[in-house]
Amino acid sequence: MAKITLGCEPVVGSLTPSKKREYRVTNRLQEGKRPLYAVVFNFVDSRYFNVFATVGGNRVTVYQCLEGGVIAVLQSYVDEDKEESFYTLSWACNTDGTPFIVAGGINGIIRVIDAGNEKIHKSFVGHGDSINEIRTQALKPSLVVSASKDESVRLWNVHTGICILIFAGAGGHRNEVLSVDFHPSDIYRIASCGMDNTVKIWSMKEFWTYVEKSFTWTDLPSKFPTKYVQFPVFIAPVHSNYVDCNRWLGDFILSKSVDNEIVLWEPKMKEQSPGEGSVDILQKYPVPECDIWFIKFSLRFPLQYSSDWE
């Protein structure tokens, strides 16, 4: 009997919402009158598995889930610029294990908050426009990557404050980069997508010496020999409209456009011809009423052992 590969099996269940809910609301909080753009649990440090942070306006707030559905406010940070509007955040950590919150938004400045000492650790200035998403490398959580309206993706070392790599140029995105994600097991690979309707896969393998150098650099961060990575190893025209979210699922990719569906696909790269290859569409998941762009989705933790997304 032939083995059914992931994504080729029939979809189980109904897409019609059930009137009977399998969950219940235990608490509800409201932060002022500004919209919240992101809510992220700390999945990089098991000590804080029940801690999450939110961003909205110029504020970053940290909460903890307690027993009985109680939610406690642990910390709150207000940016000095009242016009700042944070769009995204991610948990990271210093080389000594100190928990960091990394947030960015409309001003294009990335704030690294030391949640252990309750103070700003560093501010990253480099992007020329707003920041749409920040993600942390789970295998090396002192590394974060940012996607920006300035058509670039940047790799940062939160320990030293160095911008290591800039993914942009001749083969880069031709419009806003809306989403970026690290491969869960291949430390060298990232995927990015944006308003040029494409998903691009980049490799850091050739430039990994720069990553290693960023941890031992003792001079000013501005003097670090930041390297431009101009050509992705793969460009995937999976969608015909804006692609506002992509996530790795093993070696497969889940990507979402404004076409009311999330697509699971496999990149078929030609090792001898970077940038070339084909796409094998494995499954399409209908997502009604997602024609409003900039809607994100997440994979259920732990990513390595689960194929659930929500």
Side-chain angles (χ1 to χ4, degrees):
M1 184 176 179
K3 182 180 179 181
I4 301 176
T5 58
L6 177 64
C8 297
E9 70 276 11
V11 177
V12 178
S14 172
L15 293 175
T16 305
S18 172
K19 293 182 179 180
K20 182 181 178 182
R21 295 179 176 177
E22 297 180 354
Y23 63 90
R24 62 186 179 87
V25 177
T26 59
N27 205 327
R28 181 182 286 108
L29 298 173
Q30 182 171 341
E31 294 183 17
K33 296 182 180 180
R34 292 192 178 187
L36 297 180
Y37 286 108
V39 179
V40 179
F41 273 88
N42 188 347
F43 287 149
V44 300
D45 193 331
S46 59
R47 295 175 298 172
Y48 309 110
F49 72 94
N50 60 348
V51 173
F52 66 93
T54 65
V55 288
N58 65 334
R59 184 183 298 269
V60 179
T61 308
V62 183
Y63 298 92
Q64 184 175 18
C65 296
L66 305 177
E67 294 183 1
V70 177
I71 300 177
V73 179
L74 297 183
Q75 301 169 5
S76 187
Y77 305 89
V78 179
D79 195 87
E80 58 188 14
D81 186 349
K82 294 181 179 179
E83 300 303 314
E84 174 67 281
S85 180
F86 290 117
Y87 294 155
T88 179
L89 83 158
S90 184
W91 288 92
C93 66
N94 207 342
T95 52
D96 63 0
T98 301
F100 283 163
I101 303 167
V102 188
I106 195 169
N107 284 345
I109 300 173
I110 297 176
R111 303 292 190 188
V112 181
I113 300 169
D114 184 332
N117 295 320
E118 301 185 7
K119 63 181 182 180
I120 294 290
H121 173 68
K122 293 185 183 296
S123 295
F124 299 158
V125 179
H127 279 298
D129 215 318
S130 57
I131 295 163
N132 293 319
E133 188 162 60
I134 297 171
R135 300 285 285 177
T136 300
Q137 169 55 266
L139 301 175
K140 194 176 283 288
S142 294
L143 299 176
V144 299
V145 67
S146 54
S148 173
K149 186 178 180 179
D150 68 3
E151 303 181 5
S152 77
V153 171
R154 290 179 179 240
L155 178 72
W156 306 86
N157 185 319
V158 296
H159 171 61
T160 56
I162 289 172
C163 178
I164 308 167
L165 301 173
I166 301 175
F167 303 87
H173 286 281
R174 290 293 176 262
N175 209 325
E176 285 195 46
V177 189
L178 300 177
S179 184
V180 64
D181 194 34
F182 285 103
H183 191 285
S185 58
D186 185 341
I187 200 169
Y188 304 121
R189 270 195 285 175
I190 63 172
S192 62
C193 63
M195 292 177 66
D196 58 359
N197 305 354
T198 66
V199 178
K200 297 179 186 285
I201 298 175
W202 307 83
S203 175
M204 297 182 283
K205 189 172 185 178
E206 182 182 344
F207 311 97
W208 197 250
T209 54
Y210 291 86
V211 176
E212 294 173 337
K213 185 184 294 184
S214 73
F215 283 92
T216 58
W217 188 258
T218 56
D219 207 338
L220 294 173
S222 59
K223 294 185 178 181
F224 186 83
T226 301
K227 183 71 174 179
Y228 270 88
V229 182
Q230 297 197 52
F231 296 98
V233 295
F234 189 76
I235 301 174
V238 176
H239 303 275
S240 59
N241 211 325
Y242 297 166
V243 190
D244 49 7
C245 190
N246 65 199
R247 297 287 182 263
W248 288 96
L249 180 62
D251 289 332
F252 302 153
I253 291 179
L254 284 158
S255 58
K256 178 203 155 294
S257 182
V258 295
D259 301 320
N260 291 334
E261 64 182 14
I262 295 175
V263 179
L264 175 66
W265 52 278
E266 181 181 9
K268 299 282 190 177
M269 292 180 281
K270 294 182 178 179
E271 297 296 334
Q272 305 303 321
S273 304
E276 298 182 8
S278 60
V279 171
D280 188 4
I281 303 294
L282 303 176
Q283 188 66 267
K284 293 183 178 182
Y285 305 96
V287 184
E289 300 179 17
C290 75
D291 54 324
I292 301 175
W293 71 286
F294 210 72
I295 296 177
K296 305 292 185 182
F297 64 87
S298 295
L299 296 174
R300 181 176 298 171
F301 180 83
L303 174 63
Q304 292 90 337
Y305 309 110
S306 175
S307 60
D308 296 330
W309 55 270
E310 50 194 30

